[in-house]
């Protein structure tokens, strides 16, 4: 029996790595093609961003700035976050500004806005403004200038319109009004906002980052310099769920979404296999009839695949280690 | 129709790159070389359209903001990198850039050093603050190389090594998650956008 086990692990140790690639690929493809409902637990780092944005709901004197500091290579993780945040703002009537610092980010920013606004009646210049691409060399003058007057720091938007003439700017002047900046990046771009805008003007800064950067950002979260953080695809999935559960909620009592509640988010499930938003609370189903488009659940579907792939990797690591120790033991005999 | 063609082209190149996992092959080499070429080709008009025209040409020639000629000329000095005798001129825009970096030093010290230190000096009334204290001290001791890591001192530095290993493990775990996310994104494109199997 022992000999058989050692022979099995011997064989596993020599397994062609291409079989492992194939299995990882299958572990991702199958959950994507055949989605299933797995629970999405929200974390405080993501909830804080939701609550901050929600506190601006319906207030024309408050706005959020979304800074796009990435290119297409990090889209799978960052794009669902951006769409979710935009969707939340459109649902809850929160004013939005968008800006990017590299030419390659400009079309992605447009794409995110267009994807999110398809189902909402929102107007550029009134509900949101896209500042467009600004050269990275102007980062400091713009970031510091917005502390005094946004329309002085940024002259025109992406369509060439004078910022100061836009309706949205009537009650928004500087960081006192645009009091939340969320930077989406695959690097350390959000830290520049912490260094300049947060330190000098006390702006609330949040980061939407790829998972690979999360460990680097934790010290800034722990010190309170970041109010919240989207941690890769998981963060995007959490936010998608919160938007479904709170912002999209429509009843006579809450015609424009319900307020955030830890109890509710803990107990409510939103099945992603359905085509409409359905709430399942204590076994009771409530179909809202609101379409749950693929673009609004892409991160949650992705997290299914992520979970299966992680389990597979963990199994491989355990098997590999058992094999390693057994083989070493055999060699020592 | 355009979407079908563009998705098919993108799918072909995605699969060509993935084919490297099987073994090196001409499809992979072709896709890799094309990517480098297209990236450069794409970057030039992108920067010209989004940076040169709105921030140099339009304000100087149409807006008559002639003061912008000075930074434009300063930027042009970068091109002297290609000249053996005049490459020293390219140092001037670099020096200017370094000056801007210097401007950020005091603020960086505030956010990355002072605030971090303040947060590491909290009363040790919770498990978290105690862990942060032990971790910070033992890791700092580990990086003190003027004393041999032996005896009691060595035991302390060993604790620091454990803290670092846990940190590296968390970092590596997140890295795996990020790489899998990228693969998920590509497979969502192949299976969903291209083949239409994801609804």
């Amino acid at each position: 029996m022992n000999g058989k086990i050692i022979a099995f692990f011997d064989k596993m140790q020599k397994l062609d790595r291409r079989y492992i690639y194939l299995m990882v690929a299958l572990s991702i493809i199958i959950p994507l093609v055949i989605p299933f409902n797995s629970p999405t637990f929200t974390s405080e780092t993501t909830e804080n961003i939701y609550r901050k944005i929600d506190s601006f709901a319906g207030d024309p004197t408050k706005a959020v700035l979304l800074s796009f500091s990435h290119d297409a290579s990090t889209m799978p993780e960052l794009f669902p976050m951006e769409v979710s945040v935009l969707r939340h703002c459109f649902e809850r009537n929160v004013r939005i500004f968008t800006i990017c610092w590299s030419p390659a980010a400009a079309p992605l920013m447009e794409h995110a806005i267009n994807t999110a606004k398809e189902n909402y009646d929102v107007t550029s210049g009134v509900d949101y403004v896209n500042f467009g691409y600004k050269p990275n060399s102007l980062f400091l003058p713009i970031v510091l200038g917005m502390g005094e007057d946004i329309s002085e720091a940024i002259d025109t938007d992406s369509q060439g319109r004078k910022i100061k003439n836009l309706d949205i700017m009537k009650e928004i002047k500087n960081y006192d009004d645009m009091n939340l900046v969320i930077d989406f990046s695959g690097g350390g771009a959000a830290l520049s906002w912490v260094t300049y805008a947060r330190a000098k003007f006390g702006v609330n800064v949040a980061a939407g980052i790829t998972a690979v950067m999360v460990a680097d950002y934790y010290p800034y979260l722990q010190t309170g310099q970041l109010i919240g953080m989207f941690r890769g695809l998981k963060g995007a999935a959490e936010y998608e769920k919160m938007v479904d559960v709170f912002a999209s909620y429509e009843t006579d009592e809450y015609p424009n979404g319900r307020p955030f509640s830890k109890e509710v988010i803990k107990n409510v499930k939103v099945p992603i296999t359905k085509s409409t938003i359905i709430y399942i609370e204590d076994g009771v189903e409530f179909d809202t009839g609101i379409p749950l488009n693929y673009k609004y659940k892409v991160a949650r579907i992705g997290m299914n695949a992520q979970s299966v792939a992680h389990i597979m990797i963990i199994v491989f690591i355990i098997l590999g280690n058992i094999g390693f120790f057994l083989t070493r033991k055999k060699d020592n005999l | 129709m355009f979407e079908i063609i563009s998705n098919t082209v993108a799918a072909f190149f995605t699969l060509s790159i993935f084919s490297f996992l099987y073994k090196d092959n001409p499809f992979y080499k072709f896709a890799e070389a094309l990517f480098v070429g297209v990236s450069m080709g794409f970057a030039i008009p992108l920067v010209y359209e989004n940076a040169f025209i709105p921030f140099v040409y339009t304000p100087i020639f149409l807006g008559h903001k002639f003061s912008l000629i000075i930074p434009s000329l300063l930027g042009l000095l970068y091109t002297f990198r290609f000249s053996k005798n005049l490459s020293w001129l390219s140092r001037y825009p670099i020096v200017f850039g370094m000056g801007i970096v210097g401007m950020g030093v005091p603020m960086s010290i505030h956010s990355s050093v002072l605030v971090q230190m303040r947060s590491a000096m909290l009363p040790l009334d919770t498990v978290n603050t105690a862990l942060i204290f032990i971790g910070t001290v033992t890791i700092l001791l580990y990086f003190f190389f003027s004393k041999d890591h032996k005896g009691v001192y060595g035991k302390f530095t060993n604790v620091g090594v454990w803290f670092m290993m846990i940190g590296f493990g968390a970092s590596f775990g997140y890295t795996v998650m990020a790489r899998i996310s990228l693969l998920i994104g590509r497979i969502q494109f192949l299976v969903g956008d291209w083949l239409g199997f994801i609804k």
Side-chain angles (χ1 to χ4, degrees), chain B residues 146-165:
Chain B
S146 300
K147 187 170 165 51
D148 256 357
H149 292 184
K150 282 178 184 167
V152 179
Y153 187 74
K155 290 210 167 39
F156 274 113
T157 57
N158 218 14
V159 175
V161 171
W162 272 96
F163 269 95
M164 281 192 284
M165 288 301 149

Side-chain angles (χ1 to χ4, degrees), chain A residues 70-78 108 186 210, chain B residues 35 178-179 181-182:
Chain A
H70 67 97
D71 58 17
S73 64
T74 47
M75 262 183 90
E77 285 179 276
L78 303 179
L108 305 180
T210 51
Chain B
F35 175 74
R179 300 299 173 242
S181 299
L182 295 183

Side-chain angles (χ1 to χ4, degrees), chain B residues 117-166:
Chain B
M117 281 171 66
R118 191 177 63 202
S119 296
M121 294 177 189
L122 295 173
L124 305 178
D125 50 4
T126 63
V127 176
N128 276 350
T129 49
L131 282 175
I132 289 169
F133 172 76
I134 296 167
T136 308
V137 171
T138 52
I139 290 172
L140 284 174
L141 286 176
Y142 175 80
F143 284 106
F144 186 69
F145 295 120
S146 300
K147 187 170 165 51
D148 256 357
H149 292 184
K150 282 178 184 167
V152 179
Y153 187 74
K155 290 210 167 39
F156 274 113
T157 57
N158 218 14
V159 175
V161 171
W162 272 96
F163 269 95
M164 281 192 284
M165 288 301 149
I166 292 167

Side-chain angles (χ1 to χ4, degrees), chain A residues 45-46 118 261 270 319:
Chain A
T45 57
T46 318
E118 264 174 357
S261 152
V270 182
L319 283 178

Side-chain angles (χ1 to χ4, degrees), chain A residues 11-306:
Chain A
K11 211 173 169 184
M12 289 295 285
Q13 293 287 87
K14 288 169 194 152
L15 186 72
D16 191 330
R17 68 177 192 280
R18 285 173 291 197
Y19 286 112
I20 296 172
Y21 296 151
L22 184 69
M23 287 176 79
V24 170
L26 287 175
S27 73
I28 290 171
I29 292 169
I30 295 167
L32 290 179
V33 178
I34 311 164
F36 56 89
N37 295 311
S38 58
T40 302
F41 298 103
T42 57
S43 57
E44 210 164 312
T45 57
T46 318
E47 287 169 5
N48 288 345
I49 302 176
Y50 185 92
R51 292 159 82 161
K52 189 72 197 171
I53 293 178
D54 224 45
S55 69
F56 296 168
D59 186 349
T61 65
K62 292 285 173 199
V64 180
L65 174 66
L66 307 183
S67 169
F68 292 64
S69 309
H70 67 97
D71 58 17
S73 64
T74 47
M75 262 183 90
E77 285 179 276
L78 303 179
F79 192 70
M81 293 175 199
E82 293 155 2
V83 171
S84 298
V85 171
L86 286 161
R87 187 178 158 222
H88 180 195
C89 294
F90 292 149
E91 281 278 5
R92 299 283 284 147
N93 195 16
V94 175
R95 307 284 187 277
I96 313 167
F97 297 109
T98 56
I99 194 166
C100 70
W101 308 98
S102 83
L108 305 180
M109 190 163 64
E110 287 277 347
H111 184 40
I113 295 168
N114 291 337
T115 305
K117 77 172 188 183
E118 264 174 357
N119 304 86
Y120 300 95
D121 183 21
V122 288
T123 313
S124 171
V126 180
D127 303 293
Y128 71 93
V129 174
N130 181 3
F131 291 150
Y133 158 70
K134 304 293 168 202
N136 202 35
S137 52
L138 295 180
F139 181 81
L140 267 186
I142 289 176
V143 169
L144 298 177
M146 284 197 293
E148 304 296 327
D149 190 341
I150 297 167
S151 55
E152 288 287 325
I154 298 173
D155 198 28
T156 54
D157 74 350
S158 63
Q159 296 173 41
R161 297 175 298 184
K162 282 270 180 198
I163 298 285
K164 64 179 169 198
N165 296 337
L166 299 174
D167 274 3
I168 195 172
M169 296 307 296
K170 279 180 188 162
E171 293 176 81
I172 291 165
K173 187 172 167 59
N174 52 34
Y175 289 130
D176 291 339
D177 314 309
M178 189 179 70
N179 197 236
L180 174 62
V181 176
I182 308 177
D183 188 280
F184 298 99
S185 80
L191 301 181
S192 302
W193 287 98
V194 169
T195 304
Y196 299 106
R198 168 88 195 167
K200 197 165 163 58
F201 303 102
V203 185
N204 291 303
V205 181
I209 46 172
T210 51
V212 72
M213 292 304 297
V214 170
D216 290 357
Y217 274 73
Y218 261 115
Y220 296 88
L221 192 72
Q222 186 242 334
T223 53
Q225 297 184 89
L226 288 173
I227 64 144
M229 182 162 82
F230 291 108
R231 295 170 301 171
L233 197 65
K234 167 88 171 87
E238 291 174 16
Y239 211 84
E240 279 181 356
K241 186 186 172 186
M242 282 192 278
V243 174
D244 280 350
V245 172
F246 300 114
S248 299
Y249 189 83
E250 276 179 33
T251 57
D252 292 340
E253 193 186 356
Y254 299 113
N256 297 312
R258 59 178 155 177
F260 178 86
S261 152
K262 265 195 180 289
E263 278 304 304
V264 174
I265 196 71
K266 214 166 136 188
N267 294 330
V268 172
K269 287 176 188 162
V270 182
I272 52 167
T273 48
K274 308 286 182 187
S275 55
T276 55
I277 297 176
I278 295 171
Y279 302 128
I280 304 175
E281 197 168 356
D282 301 325
V284 181
E285 268 194 33
F286 169 58
D287 190 345
T288 60
I290 302 165
L292 181 57
N293 299 328
Y294 173 69
K295 62 184 176 183
Y296 297 150
K297 56 184 177 184
V298 65
R300 279 172 289 178
I301 293 175
M303 276 311 291
N304 280 347
Q306 183 89 251

Side-chain angles (χ1 to χ4, degrees), chain B residues 38-55:
Chain B
V38 168
S39 298
M40 276 311 293
F42 184 62
I44 292 166
L46 201 69
V47 172
Y48 177 78
E49 275 289 319
N50 290 302
F52 180 75
I53 295 292
F55 294 103

